Amino acid sequence: MNLRGLLAIYIYEMRRAFRTVGQSIISPVISTSLYFVVFGSAIGSRMDEVGGVSYGSFIVPGLIMLSVLTQSTSNGSFSIFFPKFTGTIYEILSAPLSFLEITIGYVGASMSKSMILGIIIFITAHFFVSIELLHPFWALLFFILTCLSFSLLGFVIGIWADGFEKIQIVPMLILTPLTFLGGSFYSISMLPPFWQKVSMFNPIVYLISGFRWSFYGKADVSLSISLTVICVFICICLAIVWRMFATGYKLKA
Amino acid sequence: MDSQSSVPAILISSLEKKYDNGLQALHPTDLSIQKGEIFALLGPNGAGKSTLINMVCGIVNPSGGEVKVQGYDIIKEYRQARSLIGLVPQELTTHSFETVNQIVEFSRSLFNCPKDHKYTEELLRSLTLWEKRDEKIIALSGGMKRRLLIAQALSHKPKVLFLDEPTAGVDVELRKNLWDIVLRLRDQGVTIVLTTHYIEEAEAMADRVGIINKGKIALVEDKNRLLEKFGHKKLILTLAKPLNRIPSSLQKYELEIEGEGTSLTHVYSSVEEDMNLNELLCDLSDEGIMYSDLQTKKSSLEEVFVQLVQS
């Protein structure tokens, strides 16, 4: 195994993130804090509890997921798209690295950045609302799996994209609506029966539900289904990445 | 000679590249490059030089055929094969916000080599980049970026170095400097495959030359033998008095009058000794044709190249 090569990619990517700390950390933390102020403190204080949890506290897991999902996707896609764009991808492709080592290097860095962000948001949330964490192990597991799966999705998008526009299309047109409609700000049980059924086709519902359960012990769907969905999603993304490297799709001429 | 030293540095068998749009960038090609030689691949734009190099380095997927680098298959044994290869790409594809030192160490790590500050310092000094080691790459000049690409390619001490038009857009001084580096590497036993537009570069450095055109290798030959085989010599006589026509007694020599009769030229093969040259000069004297100057000119690799590509 080329561990040094893998670590070189990881360190390079982390260094890049710290160089642009304003864009990769501060900006998402500020926007999430604004959500806490508006929905948690201002509007939330006038709303009823959701399943016995104050609205401000209820939205914390969803907001963490919202940030982590979008940042993981964005980090994952830019990390591989940039070397393709600048042409420096030749170094990676001509090095004695397997697809898995390359993927772990880039996706691992993308995950790490998202996890740092998620932890900062979690700490920040304490300044606005009171938070319980009933199942820390499960929270950590959901958190890591979510960062991994969406970093992988971003990595797939980054390989597929051949322009900046395409990098933005999937997060803007698909992920953001799915996340907002995935129960970040509400419980699925608050929806009319028809829309509850429609929501079950949104994979993000399962992630947010599982993550929220680990905080307050209340979930829209069962924990096992949430875990299965996220694991299947990771496997699909990995298979796509493997296929892309095996065929050289959008990587090699 | 042991079995390992007899293995070619690069052995290409039936290697080809056909794109999905039907373009055959490289027709099935066989090529063997020996250890320690400088092999120059010459060809016009779009001839398939970079395609061939990039397939060996793993950047382009071959459509067929096989490549072995020091006996290691580039697909099945890609780790061993790639560890032996260094590539200097044609384009100035550098990073921007990292420092020179960081990126050379990065390249070295990609090849699973531990940090070696002493070697990195030697390398950067040899490429006159040591003073710039802590500068961001974006602040470097084009020539320095070119040298940095070479430093990156050499960071893991490759046994085979591919230089894809390394001196394109580089000033004369730096070009000569790069030639010195390449010759020094050859002396250290590194096999060098060079593509270039500057034929003088191949003429100055290459041991063997391959001429590629329209995706086919037209010829592979020892450089000196190539010049002997296809090269010609030209005798140019500057006449003391202008000449209107060639006397009938001199018709057998294939002479040509040039420069409004002020000079007389005779083209002869450089491979065989032209025994007629002495005779020609005597016959000129007999005809009373006097000359004030005499020079011979050997055809360059460029002329041979043009001749081969056009044929």
Side-chain angles (χ1 to χ4, degrees):
Chain A
M1 187 173 182
N2 185 349
L3 195 62
R4 285 195 189 91
L6 186 161
L7 277 174
I9 295 173
Y10 179 85
I11 293 166
Y12 178 91
E13 279 301 305
M14 291 308 287
R15 206 184 275 148
R16 191 168 66 84
F18 288 119
R19 215 171 34 231
T20 55
V21 74
Q23 182 199 333
S24 41
I25 305 282
I26 297 171
S27 165
V29 168
I30 290 175
S31 53
T32 313
S33 300
L34 290 172
Y35 278 119
F36 284 128
V37 172
V38 175
F39 291 100
S41 305
I43 298 174
S45 60
R46 292 160 197 270
M47 289 180 74
D48 293 335
E49 289 186 339
V50 183
V53 181
S54 75
Y55 185 71
S57 304
F58 176 83
I59 61 169
V60 170
L63 281 177
I64 293 174
M65 278 288 165
L66 179 69
S67 294
V68 159
L69 285 176
T70 47
Q71 286 302 309
S72 295
T73 312
S74 165
N75 291 333
S77 57
F78 269 93
S79 65
I80 190 74
F81 175 75
F82 242 85
K84 274 175 51 184
F85 179 73
T86 58
T88 53
I89 190 78
Y90 85 89
E91 294 176 286
I92 307 293
L93 296 176
S94 61
L97 285 158
S98 68
F99 107 90
L100 202 59
E101 288 155 356
I102 296 171
T103 307
I104 293 172
Y106 280 116
V107 172
S110 169
M111 270 179 76
S112 304
K113 288 181 245 177
S114 305
M115 286 173 71
I116 292 170
L117 176 70
I119 291 164
I120 293 174
I121 292 173
F122 178 70
I123 295 166
T124 311
H126 285 81
F127 295 108
F128 299 97
V129 289
S130 63
I131 304 165
E132 277 181 84
L133 189 55
L134 289 178
H135 310 287
F137 168 77
W138 288 103
L140 188 64
L141 184 68
F142 269 104
F143 183 52
I144 291 171
L145 289 177
T146 305
C147 291
L148 170 62
S149 54
F150 283 85
S151 293
L152 271 170
L153 176 69
F155 197 62
V156 170
I157 294 169
I159 295 174
W160 163 76
D162 45 22
F164 282 94
E165 196 191 356
K166 282 189 177 174
I167 285 276
Q168 302 291 345
I169 282 176
V170 177
M172 292 272 286
L173 298 183
I174 301 170
L175 271 186
T176 307
L178 284 181
T179 314
F180 272 86
L181 299 172
S184 299
F185 298 101
Y186 56 87
S187 166
I188 302 300
S189 61
M190 294 160 79
L191 294 171
F194 172 76
W195 290 108
Q196 284 188 30
K197 286 196 177 99
V198 171
S199 295
M200 290 301 120
F201 291 99
N202 180 358
I204 291 169
V205 165
Y206 300 88
L207 300 180
I208 294 176
S209 169
F211 195 50
R212 188 172 283 137
W213 172 85
S214 60
F215 273 70
Y216 306 116
K218 294 181 195 317
D220 290 320
V221 287
S222 84
L223 190 65
S224 56
I225 292 177
S226 288
L227 267 178
T228 308
V229 167
I230 197 165
C231 289
V232 167
F233 186 55
I234 289 170
C235 290
I236 292 170
C237 288
L238 260 178
I240 295 172
V241 174
W242 170 78
R243 188 72 192 143
M244 282 173 147
F245 272 89
T247 57
Y249 177 78
K250 301 272 183 104
L251 287 167
K252 297 181 181 186
Chain B
M1 195 183 279
D2 59 39
S3 62
Q4 186 57 31
S5 62
S6 63
V7 172
I10 302 164
L11 184 63
I12 295 173
S13 316
S14 308
L15 186 69
E16 64 172 316
K17 179 65 189 177
K18 190 174 186 179
Y19 288 101
D20 292 340
N21 62 8
L23 174 74
Q24 185 91 35
L26 189 74
H27 292 271
T29 297
D30 295 306
L31 183 64
S32 174
I33 296 169
Q34 298 310 309
K35 282 182 186 168
E37 75 170 324
I38 299 181
F39 185 86
L41 198 55
L42 303 179
N45 282 333
K49 304 184 295 288
S50 296
T51 304
L52 188 136
I53 281 185
N54 288 338
M55 278 195 282
V56 178
C57 294
I59 296 167
V60 170
N61 279 334
S63 307
E66 192 183 67
V67 181
K68 287 188 173 177
V69 179
Q70 294 201 355
Y72 295 112
D73 187 283
I74 59 157
I75 308 282
K76 293 176 200 142
E77 298 161 298
Y78 71 95
R79 283 193 199 272
Q80 292 95 325
R82 289 185 196 171
S83 298
L84 297 166
I85 297 174
L87 168 67
V88 180
Q90 193 176 337
E91 304 293 332
L92 271 181
T93 47
T94 55
H95 301 255
S96 297
F97 303 105
E98 292 71 25
T99 66
V100 168
N101 199 52
Q102 278 173 348
I103 225 61
V104 173
E105 293 286 5
F106 171 70
S107 296
R108 191 174 158 76
S109 302
L110 287 180
F111 285 79
N112 208 14
C113 296
K115 281 193 172 153
D116 185 343
H117 298 298
K118 193 166 169 262
Y119 174 69
T120 305
E121 182 179 340
E122 269 173 33
L123 183 63
L124 291 179
R125 281 193 193 280
S126 71
L127 290 159
T128 56
L129 281 170
W130 181 244
E131 305 302 322
K132 302 281 178 186
R133 65 189 179 280
D134 293 322
E135 280 200 22
K136 284 187 178 170
I137 297 165
I138 200 166
L140 301 182
S141 67
M144 283 176 190
K145 284 180 182 166
R146 181 70 65 186
R147 274 180 275 166
L148 176 61
L149 286 176
I150 296 174
Q152 285 181 254
L154 294 175
S155 65
H156 60 286
K157 300 183 184 173
K159 298 280 179 232
V160 179
L161 181 65
F162 287 93
L163 297 159
D164 198 358
E165 298 191 21
T167 54
V170 161
D171 64 42
V172 178
E173 194 188 340
L174 179 57
R175 194 180 304 164
K176 292 271 156 54
N177 182 238
L178 292 175
W179 290 6
D180 289 343
I181 292 165
V182 170
L183 292 171
R184 212 160 55 222
L185 286 167
R186 193 264 305 270
D187 293 342
Q188 290 165 13
V190 177
T191 308
I192 291 152
V193 180
L194 171 83
T195 74
T196 179
H197 272 188
Y198 302 107
I199 307 218
E200 65 195 271
E201 197 159 89
E203 200 163 347
M205 289 192 293
D207 299 310
R208 279 200 308 154
V209 174
I211 293 181
I212 185 168
N213 192 26
K214 293 175 185 164
K216 288 180 184 163
I217 292 202
L219 177 138
V220 175
E221 191 67 88
D222 177 272
K223 180 189 71 188
N224 295 326
R225 216 172 300 148
L226 184 71
L227 284 167
E228 278 174 14
K229 208 155 125 187
F230 293 93
H232 292 95
K233 275 190 170 177
K234 197 177 196 180
L235 170 72
I236 304 163
L237 297 166
T238 306
L239 301 175
K241 283 182 188 169
L243 189 70
N244 294 326
R245 62 174 192 85
I246 295 164
S248 56
S249 62
L250 300 175
Q251 294 289 344
K252 58 181 177 180
Y253 292 112
E254 292 181 33
L255 294 166
E256 267 185 53
I257 297 171
E258 286 179 1
E260 294 177 354
T262 55
S263 65
L264 202 57
T265 62
H266 169 56
V267 176
Y268 59 101
S269 168
S270 63
V271 66
E272 293 161 20
E273 286 297 317
D274 198 319
M275 301 306 287
N276 289 334
L277 215 53
N278 220 1
E279 202 181 321
L280 166 68
L281 295 175
C282 290
D283 286 353
L284 282 169
S285 179
D286 290 348
E287 284 291 337
I289 300 170
M290 307 305 284
Y291 46 89
S292 56
D293 189 27
L294 176 152
Q295 56 172 308
T296 60
K297 208 174 139 191
K298 199 176 175 182
S299 54
S300 68
L301 191 55
E302 184 160 2
E303 286 160 332
V304 174
F305 170 72
V306 170
Q307 192 187 327
L308 282 165
V309 167
Q310 283 176 348
S311 64

